Amino acid sequence: MSPPDRTACTVAIVKNVEQMINLQFAAYGSLYIDSVNIDPALKEPLSLGFVIGPHCEATYWDCDIRERRYYAHSKPNRGPWLNLPEYTEALMDLGLLRIPKSDADWNGRPTYEGSNEEHVRLKEVRHKLVRQLLQGSAIHKAGAPVLLHYDLHTRNIFVSEDNTTIITGIIHWQSSSILPAFTHANDEPDFAPYLARNVDQSERRDPVYSIDDECCKIYYTGLRTLAPRLFSGLELDSDIVPSSDKSYSTLKAAGKDVSGSKVFPCSVLGPIDKQTHEDEYRASLTIQDIRHWIAACAGAQTDGWVPTDTWEGAKVRHKEVYDEFVERMDEEDVKEMWPFDLPEVLEGKLTGTSHYS
């Protein structure tokens, strides 16, 4: 697609987003046909034969074999939610569902990820922070229920063969739902990468950066003008937006210094406690980066998947990378942070890794 067509197509995408964002809803959740066979108490009526019901995203259901739900500290809370406090309570409940009753249930969990008690305490701190967030007007302004497409990227946007500036269809709606605008705060569509704004001036002469920068400006300026409800969510600091992220993000949210924020003045951690958690958060990010680097060197994804045609080579590289780490670090420390199972690692076998065709 030529640069002028890309910019024109970006304008068309913004106009499609405008149509979604301007729809009015009175609750948060997923869309259902009115005749769906669910508890009538879980249906919030809409027009045209539709209702808002429980959120369909897998995060809210115990159906992911890679991430257990324990229900030791909270019960399932899947919606629909009638207001922003109800929705944020559900996010906090969702975080608690990831924490087992005791450390014994976290078999083999690395020590740098913290103890069961520490996770529970951090969730309580975060809960307190979110409740204080809700006292500010900015979070409510950015929290109106809007229909969101969670995967609005080029692979899901179809254009006309005759005129690539005309959008003929958008697919992959199964993850779409009615949520607060601020849930889009961390999103970045690949047709308008926000990072294009941050490249060095000398690199902006590169045509790739130049067109990315132009599309980025068009997209975000268009949202500000045509979809202000969504743009208000993007303006919030993504570090302090309520979310259900995992433990290392909990550390960041709990340790964030918002006492001088123009959005909401509050402080939930003392200076010593805050510094401790900032240090732990940075350490957690370092470990995550190392884990990603190990997986990349071994030719695997971080969850262990390896294409069948590269399986044999991945086993060899895995052994080489492991030996390299052991030469530079204590082997017990290496084992603790290693992203794969280790019973047969010295034989060059990725016993905890799956491969696919």
Side-chain angles (χ1 to χ4, degrees):
M1 187 181 292
S2 68
D5 282 0
R6 271 195 62 184
T7 56
C9 193
T10 302
V11 172
I13 293 171
V14 171
K15 291 180 178 178
N16 276 270
V17 171
E18 177 192 13
Q19 295 179 50
M20 285 190 290
I21 299 303
N22 286 340
L23 296 172
Q24 301 293 318
F25 301 98
Y28 307 92
S30 291
L31 286 173
Y32 293 78
I33 298 173
D34 185 32
S35 59
V36 65
N37 185 25
I38 61 174
D39 185 349
L42 298 178
K43 295 181 180 180
E44 288 300 316
L46 290 173
S47 58
L48 303 176
F50 291 93
V51 296
I52 301 175
H55 203 293
C56 293
E57 188 179 351
T59 306
Y60 294 93
W61 303 82
D62 189 14
C63 57
D64 189 344
I65 61 172
R66 298 169 299 179
E67 187 171 22
R68 289 185 58 188
R69 298 289 188 269
Y70 295 95
Y71 306 104
H73 306 282
S74 182
K75 295 180 180 180
N77 186 350
R78 301 174 180 129
W81 307 286
L82 301 182
N83 51 55
L84 193 56
E86 285 188 9
Y87 169 75
T88 54
E89 286 288 330
L91 290 183
M92 299 304 101
D93 290 343
L94 192 57
L96 289 170
L97 294 181
R98 294 188 172 113
I99 304 174
K101 189 173 182 179
S102 67
D103 284 331
D105 297 317
W106 261 339
N107 184 28
R109 187 182 182 91
T111 56
Y112 63 78
E113 292 189 3
S115 67
N116 178 282
E117 292 76 12
E118 181 70 352
H119 278 269
V120 172
R121 193 182 76 82
L122 283 174
K123 291 295 182 183
E124 291 172 350
V125 169
R126 193 179 187 191
H127 208 157
K128 181 180 178 181
L129 173 61
V130 169
R131 284 174 175 169
Q132 294 191 44
L133 280 173
L134 293 174
Q135 296 176 15
S137 59
I139 197 74
H140 284 274
K141 179 183 177 183
V146 294
L147 178 63
L148 300 173
H149 189 296
Y150 267 92
D151 200 8
L152 194 61
H153 296 292
T154 51
R155 62 180 176 272
N156 295 323
I157 302 172
F158 287 77
V159 297
S160 168
E161 292 185 7
D162 301 322
N163 185 348
T164 55
T165 68
I166 299 176
I167 296 176
T168 57
I170 298 176
I171 63 170
H172 206 252
W173 288 90
Q174 64 267 31
S175 297
S176 303
S177 56
I178 302 162
L179 290 178
F182 61 63
T183 57
H184 248 353
N186 290 313
D187 289 355
E188 179 185 300
D190 58 0
F191 57 83
Y194 190 81
L195 291 178
R197 294 185 174 188
N198 302 322
V199 299
D200 185 83
Q201 288 296 323
S202 62
E203 292 180 332
R204 287 180 181 273
R205 300 189 186 96
D206 188 310
V208 174
Y209 281 120
S210 177
I211 188 59
D212 281 350
D213 188 48
E214 186 65 25
C215 289
C216 180
K217 291 177 180 177
I218 290 171
Y219 181 68
Y220 289 102
T221 302
L223 291 185
R224 182 193 291 274
T225 305
L226 301 177
R229 290 203 300 165
L230 177 58
F231 190 80
S232 64
L234 301 178
E235 287 185 303
L236 284 183
D237 186 338
S238 62
D239 288 347
I240 49 181
V241 165
S243 71
S244 59
D245 292 344
K246 297 183 181 180
S247 54
Y248 48 86
S249 293
T250 301
L251 287 170
K252 187 176 186 181
K256 179 80 176 181
D257 182 8
V258 296
S259 57
S261 171
K262 296 179 180 179
V263 180
F264 39 81
C266 61
S267 180
V268 295
L269 293 176
I272 297 177
D273 205 15
K274 174 179 176 295
Q275 185 60 52
T276 298
H277 289 300
E278 283 183 348
D279 293 343
E280 290 176 353
Y281 174 67
R282 282 193 291 269
S284 177
L285 284 184
T286 300
I287 291 294
Q288 295 298 323
D289 289 342
I290 292 173
R291 288 166 65 93
H292 279 79
W293 185 82
I294 292 170
C297 289
Q301 297 179 24
T302 52
D303 59 1
W305 287 88
V306 178
T308 299
D309 57 351
T310 62
W311 175 245
E312 295 301 325
K315 289 192 293 185
V316 174
R317 289 194 299 275
H318 173 260
K319 174 73 163 53
E320 292 172 348
V321 174
Y322 180 81
D323 289 344
E324 241 182 88
F325 269 81
V326 171
E327 287 179 9
R328 292 171 170 80
M329 298 171 59
D330 180 83
E331 187 165 8
E332 291 305 312
D333 293 336
V334 174
K335 288 181 178 179
E336 185 175 48
M337 73 176 185
W338 206 254
F340 306 114
D341 295 336
L342 297 172
E344 300 177 45
V345 68
L346 297 180
E347 297 179 20
K349 297 179 181 178
L350 287 164
T351 60
T353 301
S354 303
H355 61 286
Y356 60 88
S357 304

